Amino acid sequence: MPGFRIHILFVALGVLICGLAADGEGAEYRYGLALRENVLLLRSPVSTGGAALPLAAGTFGTSETALRGWTGISGERWSFLASVETRGSFTSARAPVGGLSGFFVQGSPLQRWDLTWEHTQSVSTTVRTRVEDLSLTLRAGPVDLEIGRQPISLGTSHFVSVLDVIAPFAPGYLDATYKPGVDAVRVRTAVGMTGEAEIIAVGADPWEQGALLGRVRVPLLGQDFLALGGRFRERGFGGIAWEGEIAPFAIWGELGLFERKPEEEPFFAGWSEAAFSGIAGMEVDIPFEIRAGLAAMYQDFGAREPEDLPIAYASAPFREGWVFLGSAGYAVLTASRRLHPLITSSFSGLTNLTDGSTLWQPQVTFSTGENTDLSVYGWSGTGPGPRTDGPALVPRSEFGLIPDGTGLYARWFF
């Protein structure tokens, strides 16, 4: 595998040289660096000891530093983009909270080739480098062909998505500046004046775990409508999404239907052959210059009783890293306000409609320079804590186990 990685990098270098020879002085060059630092301090008020979902009481800290370098070269009918990111994570104590809620985990992007170098791996420290972009785009008349490692986003949701299954972000995940790249081929063409249609093939290891889907986006009645369908991770799926404005409201939403894998996921409700997931929301300006949003979410994959949450977390959609919330229904509340030309504030909350628990995340962002900013954020969960049944931990609410925390997130762009 290391030899294959070197081969890939030499191929990329060859593409750059060929492009420069073809376009000469007409080529446009772009490059940059981005440094991100995220420092968190968490406080867990309870200890679940050696239960099935362990959590240690007390305070612990964790930090993550990410340095990304990128370069792009483009000509009249082609462009090339490459980026490499080195990420280091440091934890003061072991923090086994990942299985308790999707709030603390990252999505699992599909990946065909392992373009990752592990430098350090221990209980408290991880340092790795990953190629995040390595893509060539060719423009031939009305068709664009994009091949290589690249970010792919599906759906329209603003906080929680049900259709963004290729490389999703978990709800509340703060470091969402860059999306992880996946190994893909995209063939795209325009539809009408502002619409587009494309076919997307995403590789995985093994190949059958990858994705093949079609996607069409068209404007209709003042809205952008999106329809997509195909297969990913050996399951069929299809869905629609919309985003637009019906004054004074901005509206958006996603509806999806996913083929079930009965041997790998429990049946909580719905149709036995396919699981439904959906979210719909709106935003509106309210007094005091506040932009407020409200959304409702439902998913057949979610548990109807809090004690079934561990079963939901162990099912295929959670293990595969494209579903993060364990219950059936949620309400989502967001609010934002500019406090000063250089200061913005935001507030988001999740309410579990099954068990009544809540999770709140306030954030204040300061512009600290032309290409830098600093965010101060926190979160707090409410809800009944767990009970123990012998060696097992039995949840009484989804967010009742979430440790309170606060953090700093800084970005520099060069």
Side-chain angles (χ1 to χ4, degrees):
M1 187 62 68
F4 179 77
R5 299 176 192 169
I6 295 173
H7 173 72
I8 285 290
L9 296 180
F10 273 109
V11 169
L13 181 61
V15 170
L16 290 175
I17 295 173
C18 291
L20 290 175
D23 275 30
E25 295 182 359
E28 179 184 349
Y29 307 89
R30 295 166 289 123
Y31 58 90
L33 285 172
L35 176 63
R36 312 189 307 279
E37 177 72 26
N38 200 5
V39 180
L40 301 84
L41 184 67
L42 302 98
R43 170 67 182 175
S44 177
V46 297
S47 173
T48 55
L53 294 175
L55 183 66
T59 300
F60 63 90
T62 181
S63 68
E64 189 170 70
T65 303
L67 177 64
R68 174 182 290 239
W70 64 272
T71 183
I73 302 179
S74 60
E76 184 178 351
R77 295 179 300 276
W78 64 276
S79 62
F80 178 83
L81 178 64
S83 69
V84 177
E85 181 170 289
T86 297
R87 186 182 292 258
S89 301
F90 311 93
T91 304
S92 64
R94 223 173 167 178
V97 298
L100 301 180
S101 172
F103 186 80
F104 286 98
V105 302
Q106 300 181 24
S108 299
L110 292 173
Q111 178 177 281
R112 179 62 183 92
W113 291 286
D114 182 12
L115 300 181
T116 303
W117 289 262
E118 296 280 355
H119 307 298
T120 302
Q121 179 73 55
S122 68
V123 171
S124 61
T125 304
T126 300
V127 181
R128 62 169 59 98
T129 297
R130 183 176 190 262
V131 175
E132 292 291 0
D133 293 282
L134 195 66
S135 63
L136 176 66
T137 301
L138 302 173
R139 291 174 284 276
V143 175
D144 289 352
L145 172 65
E146 190 170 357
I147 183 170
R149 180 157 291 185
Q150 56 192 281
I152 293 179
S153 295
L154 306 174
T156 60
S157 290
H158 297 189
F159 189 78
V160 183
S161 178
V162 300
L163 292 180
D164 197 14
V165 297
I166 302 301
F169 285 127
Y173 183 60
L174 192 69
D175 188 17
T177 305
Y178 298 102
K179 204 160 201 188
V182 297
D183 303 315
V185 176
R186 305 174 74 172
V187 181
R188 183 169 49 246
T189 188
V191 175
M193 295 294 293
T194 58
E196 64 178 12
E198 63 179 327
I199 296 175
I200 305 172
V202 184
D205 187 14
W207 283 104
E208 55 268 21
Q209 289 290 321
L212 179 62
L213 59 96
R215 175 179 175 270
V216 178
R217 181 182 59 80
V218 294
L220 182 64
L221 300 175
Q223 312 293 312
D224 268 352
F225 278 91
L226 173 71
L228 69 159
R231 292 186 64 83
F232 77 104
R233 298 186 186 272
E234 297 186 283
R235 73 170 81 224
F237 86 111
I240 61 172
W242 63 92
E243 184 173 28
E245 186 172 331
I246 301 178
F249 301 99
I251 64 171
W252 53 270
E254 300 176 8
L255 304 175
L257 200 62
F258 302 86
E259 180 183 355
R260 289 188 185 271
K261 295 181 179 179
E263 68 282 1
E264 298 184 56
E265 54 199 47
F267 178 83
F268 293 116
W271 182 26
S272 61
E273 300 296 324
F276 169 80
S277 294
I279 185 168
M282 65 179 183
E283 293 181 351
V284 65
D285 291 323
I286 62 175
F288 306 104
E289 299 180 345
I290 296 174
R291 182 74 169 178
L294 182 65
M297 177 185 175
Y298 171 85
Q299 58 179 359
D300 285 338
F301 290 119
R304 270 61 183 172
E305 301 293 338
E307 55 264 29
D308 290 332
L309 285 169
I311 300 174
Y313 292 143
S315 66
F318 291 84
R319 296 198 316 270
E320 294 167 357
W322 55 276
V323 170
F324 303 98
L325 298 172
S327 290
Y330 297 87
V332 184
L333 174 67
T334 60
S336 62
R337 186 179 188 275
R338 183 175 293 275
L339 303 176
H340 180 272
L342 301 179
I343 305 173
T344 59
S345 63
S346 63
F347 184 82
S348 57
L350 281 171
T351 298
N352 186 313
L353 299 178
T354 299
D355 59 42
S357 61
T358 62
L359 182 64
W360 307 101
Q361 184 183 30
Q363 178 179 339
V364 179
T365 300
F366 303 85
S367 176
T368 52
E370 185 176 351
N371 294 302
T372 68
D373 58 47
L374 173 68
S375 295
V376 181
Y377 65 97
W379 63 86
S380 179
T382 69
R387 61 179 177 86
T388 55
D389 185 3
L393 176 71
V394 180
R396 293 191 297 162
S397 67
E398 182 170 19
F399 299 132
L401 274 174
I402 299 298
D404 294 338
T406 186
L408 296 174
Y409 177 58
R411 301 185 302 175
W412 297 266
F413 300 97
F414 307 95

